[in-house]
Amino acid sequence: MKQLITLTLFLLTLTAFAQKPCEYSVNVNDSIGSYKVTNEYLISEKNFGGNSSYVFFSLAQTDGLPTLNLQLIQKSKDFIKANCFDKNSRVFLQLQNGKVVTLMHINQENCGTLIRDSGFDNRVNTGIFMFVKDNYEELKKSPITMMRIKYLTDTEDYIVKSEITSEMNGKIYNPDTYFIQNIRCVE
């Protein structure tokens, strides 16, 4: 009986800490090189007064170089100002262990696209950020507590929650452990 209880506890522990397999929206290997991108993952969702804002992450690897794809989607009946990414844009991630990880934007200016749909303005902006080698390993060990996005002319802060139930699709997300769970998929 003791052996059965021990075996059951072992299997439950193993199941609880098992990592899920990597899921890719793109996974290409050819004579030119390799490119893979993980599925988009909700990091922040804000809905207030008819305005909605969503931040999604996906990780990419291009010929062995990992990058973070950040997508910001905004929806409003009012005018939405453009927050542009440029060579000086950064993503700062405050970790639970007190360290700050900085990601640098590639040298490509992007102010997103404005799409008009049934009385709403929708702005979609995507930035590609490179990891700095010094802090890369920290992302595997510690959850994220805060995120700061530095745009060309503005800075925006986000509290990164341990769990979000999305109003958009009803799914449950765990944004604070995004890198702990997914960074291995682009190494």
Side-chain angles (χ1 to χ4, degrees), residues 95-111:
L95 303 181
Q96 197 173 60
N97 66 10
K99 296 186 179 180
V100 176
V101 174
T102 303
L103 289 82
M104 302 177 349
H105 191 262
I106 62 172
N107 193 7
Q108 180 181 9
E109 191 167 307
N110 181 4
C111 295

Side-chain angles (χ1 to χ4, degrees), residues 65-128:
L65 176 68
T67 55
L68 173 70
N69 296 335
L70 182 148
Q71 185 177 58
L72 177 66
I73 301 173
Q74 297 168 288
K75 184 176 184 173
S76 178
K77 287 197 176 210
D78 300 324
F79 176 75
I80 302 173
K81 73 175 185 167
N83 283 324
C84 302
F85 292 120
D86 73 341
K87 65 180 180 179
N88 296 315
S89 294
R90 302 282 185 268
V91 171
F92 302 98
L93 302 169
Q94 171 84 45
L95 303 181
Q96 197 173 60
N97 66 10
K99 296 186 179 180
V100 176
V101 174
T102 303
L103 289 82
M104 302 177 349
H105 191 262
I106 62 172
N107 193 7
Q108 180 181 9
E109 191 167 307
N110 181 4
C111 295
T113 304
L114 187 64
I115 303 164
R116 190 109 173 111
D117 178 37
S118 356
F120 282 92
D121 283 340
N122 300 282
R123 182 169 298 279
V124 179
N125 195 359
T126 303
I128 301 171

Side-chain angles (χ1 to χ4, degrees), residues 5-54:
I5 291 172
T6 304
L7 180 62
T8 303
L9 286 174
F10 174 74
L11 290 175
L12 286 173
T13 304
L14 186 63
T15 305
F17 290 105
Q19 292 183 333
K20 63 180 180 171
C22 296
E23 295 178 9
Y24 299 101
S25 58
V26 177
N27 192 356
V28 177
N29 287 306
D30 60 20
S31 61
I32 298 172
S34 65
Y35 180 68
K36 56 185 166 183
V37 180
T38 61
N39 292 335
E40 291 181 341
Y41 195 86
L42 183 68
I43 299 299
S44 176
E45 179 180 72
K46 296 178 187 175
N47 295 300
F48 184 76
N51 298 318
S52 300
S53 172
Y54 306 92

Side-chain angles (χ1 to χ4, degrees), residues 110-147:
N110 181 4
C111 295
T113 304
L114 187 64
I115 303 164
R116 190 109 173 111
D117 178 37
S118 356
F120 282 92
D121 283 340
N122 300 282
R123 182 169 298 279
V124 179
N125 195 359
T126 303
I128 301 171
F129 293 85
M130 298 179 294
F131 295 95
V132 179
K133 197 170 191 170
D134 297 345
N135 295 334
Y136 182 78
E137 292 297 318
E138 292 299 323
L139 292 170
K140 297 177 188 178
K141 302 175 197 172
S142 184
I144 308 165
T145 57
M146 295 274 300
M147 174 176 62

